[in-house]
């Protein structure tokens, strides 16, 4: 049978007309909607479930709720400000009561008038300067929370973190006159066959194992080179120094050279921050040095003789985090221990550029991702921090940015000025002394990558301005690591520049006194003749 809702005009899929009985069934319709049945729909759509809400809808609802909360929060803040500072008796009104009539007050009034069109989008508040500033701030916090939450919920595979392994002691050590032990590593030809001797202090977060990274023993043999690298005080297996400075560092280098049998002059190699120890050797023990080779040499970025342009070109290459670490090292060095304990002293391996806040060029980034470099870097790091003491690293960082105790201008080769007065003039004439020079007399070579963002080329330009006699080798497209790390052809070029054509190691020849040999020969002949006479008589 057909009911009042039957018939062709009320077929399936068409809504029926509204009837007064629907008011009585409002509650039941609500319950049916809760179970996924849409009231007012018959036929095939009578039991169709409600479609799920989309992400866009959720975001819109959340934005509306955040905006309403922000408006209420802004109104509350405005009321508090008005009650505390906006009444007529407040200090603010008495002091700045005439601000509204000033030029600034007129600008604010004009700005509020231009922002009136935003009022229609606000739920209640009619002060856009008050409300929208709060809305923007709260929205920023809300979306930041959503972003962090979404990042945390996404399941991304975490790379395996390699733990730091401390190897058993293996270094050769000598005892210094003050009782400290210094560890060193020797490469190349033996001492009695060495044509050239090189001592290389290591850079920050490194050890004696670095030396010249990737240098082949065959190349050292070809040039007849003896290479020594050592652990700075507190690094590796060297004992810490109670009052370390750059002068004591130069003295340690000298004592090491004497202890291992380097009797002649030797070359010093400085790389990156390790070059400040090479500069100290040029200043305090110049008579024992044959020359210096520097690679991306570090200088004090706070040096007073730097021009404003040189300082600007240097600092603009560094990331903010690196600038902050330099600031801490200069002003608040104790806070450095916190960052070091969270990075390379945490017991886990990480990336060098992250730990040291380095900005690297394209070729440097490719190099540090190479497995060969990564293995070398991790082993060198493990040796550097084997003592687990943060103090040597803080000392090294402070030395980079503090007063060195000397200036690079002290190394400049120049004539020694004679004292004024008649007595000094007579002394100079009577002694027939030749002109004396001060500064470093030997050669200084600097290799600088032009794409270096760790030690910018502006530092080398500064050194060349102070020391015009320095030979600067500019390397296009090279970074901080790419020229000296694991580059056989680069190492050959360096040694050829320093020592010329390879001549091999020295030949060990034993000189024999010919007169002694002749005397011994005559005695042997006499003994032989004397022995032959009885032999003939017996026959």
């Amino acid at each position: 049978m057909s009911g009042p809702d039957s018939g062709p005009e009320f077929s399936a899929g068409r809504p029926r007309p509204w009837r007064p009985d629907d008011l009585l069934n409002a509650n039941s319709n609500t319950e049916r909607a809760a179970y996924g049945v849409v009231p007012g729909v018959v036929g095939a759509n009578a039991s169709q479930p409600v479609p799920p809400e989309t992400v866009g809808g959720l975001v819109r609802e959340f934005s509306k709720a955040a905006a309403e909360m922000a408006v209420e929060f802004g109104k509350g803040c405005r009321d508090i400000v008005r009650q505390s500072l906006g009444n007529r008796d407040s200090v603010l009104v008495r002091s700045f009561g005439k601000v509204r009539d000033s030029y600034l007050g007129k600008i604010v009034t004009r700005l509020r008038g231009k922002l009136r069109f935003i009022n229609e989008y606000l739920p209640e508040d009619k002060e856009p300067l008050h409300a929208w500033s709060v809305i923007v701030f709260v929205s920023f916090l809300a979306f930041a929370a959503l972003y962090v939450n979404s990042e945390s919920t996404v399941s991304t595979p975490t790379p395996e973190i390699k733990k730091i392994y401390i190897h058993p002691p293996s270094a050769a050590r000598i005892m210094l006159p003050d009782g400290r032990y210094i560890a060193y590593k020797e490469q190349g030809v033996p001492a009695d066959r060495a044509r050239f001797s090189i001592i290389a202090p290591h850079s920050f977060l490194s050890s004696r194992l670095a030396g010249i990274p990737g240098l082949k023993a065959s190349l050292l043999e070809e040039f007849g080179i003896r290479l020594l690298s050592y652990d700075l005080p507190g690094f590796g297996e060297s004992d810490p120094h109670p009052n370390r400075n750059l002068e004591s560092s130069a003295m340690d280098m000298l004592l090491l050279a004497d202890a291992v049998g380097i009797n002649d002059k030797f070359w010093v190699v400085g790389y990156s921050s390790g070059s400040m120890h090479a500069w100290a050797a040029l200043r305090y023990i110049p008579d024992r040095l044959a020359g210096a080779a520097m690679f991306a040499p570090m200088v004090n970025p706070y040096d007073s003789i730097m021009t404003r342009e040189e300082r600007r070109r240097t600092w603009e290459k560094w990331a903010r985090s690196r600038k902050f670490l330099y600031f801490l090292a200069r002003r608040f060095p104790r806070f450095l221990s916190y960052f070091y304990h969270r990075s390379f002293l945490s017991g886990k391996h990480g990336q060098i550029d992250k730990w040291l806040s380095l900005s690297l060029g394209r070729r440097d980034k490719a190099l540090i991702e190479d497995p060969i470099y990564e293995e070398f870097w991790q082993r060198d790091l493990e040796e550097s921090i084997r003592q687990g003491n943060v103090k040597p690293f803080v000392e090294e960082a402070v030395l980079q940015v503090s007063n060195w105790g000397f200036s690079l201008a002290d190394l400049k080769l120049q004539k020694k000025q004679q004292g004024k007065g008649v007595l000094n003039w007579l002394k100079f004439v009577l002694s027939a002394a030749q002109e004396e020079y001060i500064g470093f007399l030997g050669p200084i070579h600097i290799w600088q990558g032009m794409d270096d963002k760790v030690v910018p080329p502006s530092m080398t330009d500064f050194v060349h301005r102070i020391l015009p006699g320095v030979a600067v080798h500019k390397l296009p497209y090279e970074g901080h690591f790419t020229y000296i790390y694991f580059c056989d052809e680069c190492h050959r070029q360096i040694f050829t520049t320093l020592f010329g054509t390879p001549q091999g190691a020295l030949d060990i020849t034993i000189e024999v006194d010919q007169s002694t040999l002749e005397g011994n020969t005559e005695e042997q002949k006499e003994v032989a003749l004397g022995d032959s006479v009885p032999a003939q008589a017996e026959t």
Side-chain angles (χ1 to χ4, degrees):
M1 359 179 355
S2 62
D5 295 336
S6 62
E9 66 273 19
F10 303 119
S11 59
R14 291 187 181 182
R16 62 174 176 78
W18 178 85
R19 297 183 307 177
D21 295 341
D22 292 337
L23 295 177
L24 300 176
N25 299 329
N27 295 332
S28 61
N29 289 340
T30 305
E31 295 176 356
R32 290 159 60 192
Y35 287 92
V37 180
V38 181
V41 179
V42 295
N45 297 331
S47 61
Q48 183 178 0
V50 179
E53 296 182 353
T54 62
V55 177
L58 293 175
V59 171
R60 284 193 296 271
E61 293 296 330
F62 176 79
S63 301
K64 291 180 182 179
E68 293 178 359
M69 293 174 61
V71 170
E72 296 296 332
F73 179 74
K75 291 169 64 176
C77 294
R78 182 193 60 187
D79 294 340
I80 294 175
V81 172
R82 284 181 176 177
Q83 293 175 8
S84 57
L85 301 176
N87 53 50
R88 296 181 179 179
D89 298 331
S90 65
V91 179
L92 185 63
V93 173
R94 285 181 297 179
S95 302
F96 304 97
K98 299 182 180 181
V99 173
R100 183 173 298 179
D101 299 332
S102 63
Y103 177 74
L104 181 61
K106 293 179 181 179
I107 293 178
V108 174
T109 303
R110 191 180 303 114
L111 181 61
R112 291 178 62 184
K114 292 183 179 180
L115 294 177
R116 291 288 181 184
F117 74 94
I118 304 178
N119 292 346
E120 59 185 68
Y121 299 101
L122 297 177
E124 298 178 6
D125 202 325
K126 300 300 180 181
E127 293 291 341
L129 288 179
H130 296 161
W132 279 93
S133 60
V134 180
I135 291 174
V136 171
F137 177 71
V138 174
S139 300
F140 172 77
L141 293 180
F143 284 111
L146 285 175
Y147 175 77
V148 173
N149 186 38
S150 62
E151 288 291 328
S152 61
T153 55
V154 176
S155 58
T156 57
T158 57
E160 183 180 356
I161 299 178
K162 184 178 180 181
K163 294 184 178 181
I164 291 177
Y165 174 73
I166 302 301
H167 299 259
S170 59
R173 301 202 305 170
I174 61 168
M175 188 174 70
L176 302 179
D178 59 359
R180 292 182 296 115
Y181 281 91
I182 185 169
Y184 69 96
K185 177 184 178 182
E186 186 172 353
Q187 296 175 270
V189 300
D192 55 353
R193 299 186 59 210
R195 193 177 296 272
F196 306 101
S197 297
I198 298 177
I199 295 183
H202 62 80
S203 58
F204 188 85
L205 203 56
S206 186
S207 71
R208 70 183 184 280
L209 300 182
I212 299 178
L215 181 61
K216 291 185 176 180
S218 59
L219 189 62
L220 293 173
E221 181 74 25
E222 184 178 350
F223 281 85
I225 298 173
R226 182 191 186 194
L227 174 62
L228 283 96
S229 55
Y230 65 98
D231 291 328
L232 295 174
F235 291 76
E237 297 185 38
S238 291
D239 294 338
H241 193 290
N243 299 300
R244 185 159 69 106
N245 54 33
L246 289 181
E247 184 176 4
S248 67
S249 179
M251 293 300 107
D252 286 350
M253 191 183 303
L254 177 62
L255 294 172
L256 172 65
D258 293 338
V260 297
I262 300 180
N263 302 320
D264 298 330
K265 292 185 177 182
F266 59 89
W267 287 75
V268 62
V269 170
Y271 166 66
S272 190
S273 61
S275 58
M276 65 180 177
H277 303 285
W279 293 123
L282 294 174
R283 172 64 180 86
Y284 294 110
I285 54 172
D287 296 337
R288 291 298 308 275
L289 299 183
M294 306 283 194
F295 303 92
M298 182 76 181
V299 299
N300 187 353
Y302 294 95
D303 199 317
S304 58
I305 60 178
M306 264 189 177
T307 64
R308 181 178 299 180
E309 179 64 17
E310 290 170 341
R311 188 174 289 108
R312 182 192 65 80
R313 289 169 54 199
T314 297
W315 285 87
E316 70 180 4
K317 295 292 184 179
W318 291 330
R320 292 182 179 179
S321 54
R322 185 169 179 83
K323 296 177 184 178
F324 180 65
L325 291 179
Y326 279 140
F327 170 76
L328 291 181
R330 186 170 175 84
R331 300 298 182 185
F332 307 100
R334 292 185 179 180
F335 289 98
L336 287 176
S337 60
Y338 170 78
F339 294 97
Y340 293 164
H341 278 298
R342 290 180 58 87
S343 55
F344 52 83
L345 290 175
S346 63
K348 300 177 182 178
H349 280 292
Q351 292 182 334
I352 180 177
D353 54 335
K354 302 297 182 183
W355 283 354
L356 301 181
S357 302
L358 302 180
S359 300
L360 300 179
R362 180 177 56 86
R363 297 189 64 181
D364 277 337
K365 289 181 179 179
L367 177 65
I368 66 175
E369 294 175 357
D370 189 278
I372 297 178
Y373 171 82
E374 185 178 4
E375 182 181 359
F376 170 84
W377 151 255
Q378 291 180 355
R379 180 64 183 93
D380 189 28
L381 166 73
E382 291 172 344
E383 187 63 27
S384 177
I385 64 172
R386 66 178 300 115
Q387 299 186 33
N389 188 8
V390 73
K391 184 180 177 181
F393 298 94
V394 175
E395 291 175 347
E396 192 74 3
V398 171
L399 282 176
Q400 294 181 22
V401 297
S402 60
N403 184 9
W404 285 6
F406 64 93
S407 173
L408 292 182
D410 299 335
L411 307 178
K412 184 177 180 180
L413 182 62
Q414 54 188 342
K415 293 181 180 180
K416 184 177 181 180
Q417 296 181 356
Q418 300 294 331
K420 297 181 180 180
V422 179
L423 294 178
N424 291 323
W425 179 80
L426 290 174
K427 180 180 179 180
F428 175 76
V429 173
L430 295 175
S431 61
Q434 298 179 354
E435 291 182 339
E436 296 182 4
Y437 288 85
I438 58 175
F440 182 66
L441 302 177
I444 302 176
H445 291 267
I446 294 179
W447 282 265
Q448 176 65 56
M450 302 309 292
D451 193 32
D452 193 339
K453 293 180 173 57
V454 180
V455 178
S458 56
M459 282 194 169
T460 297
D461 295 338
F462 163 69
V463 173
H464 198 203
R465 180 177 67 84
I466 302 300
L467 303 174
V470 170
V472 177
H473 309 273
K474 295 185 178 181
L475 309 171
Y477 312 112
E478 297 289 351
H480 189 68
F481 303 102
T482 52
Y483 188 75
I484 190 175
Y485 274 67
F486 298 95
C487 180
D488 298 337
E489 184 60 30
C490 303
H491 298 161
R492 179 175 293 277
Q493 292 175 3
I494 293 168
F495 289 157
T496 302
T497 302
L498 298 179
F499 310 125
T501 305
Q503 301 179 16
L506 296 176
D507 293 331
I508 302 177
T509 57
I510 302 176
E511 296 182 358
V512 180
D513 190 354
Q514 297 296 330
S515 61
T516 305
L517 288 177
E518 293 175 358
N520 293 335
T521 304
E522 293 177 356
E523 292 178 358
Q524 292 176 0
K525 290 181 179 179
E526 292 177 357
V527 170
L529 292 173
D531 293 341
S532 62
V533 173
Q536 292 176 357
E538 291 178 0
T539 57

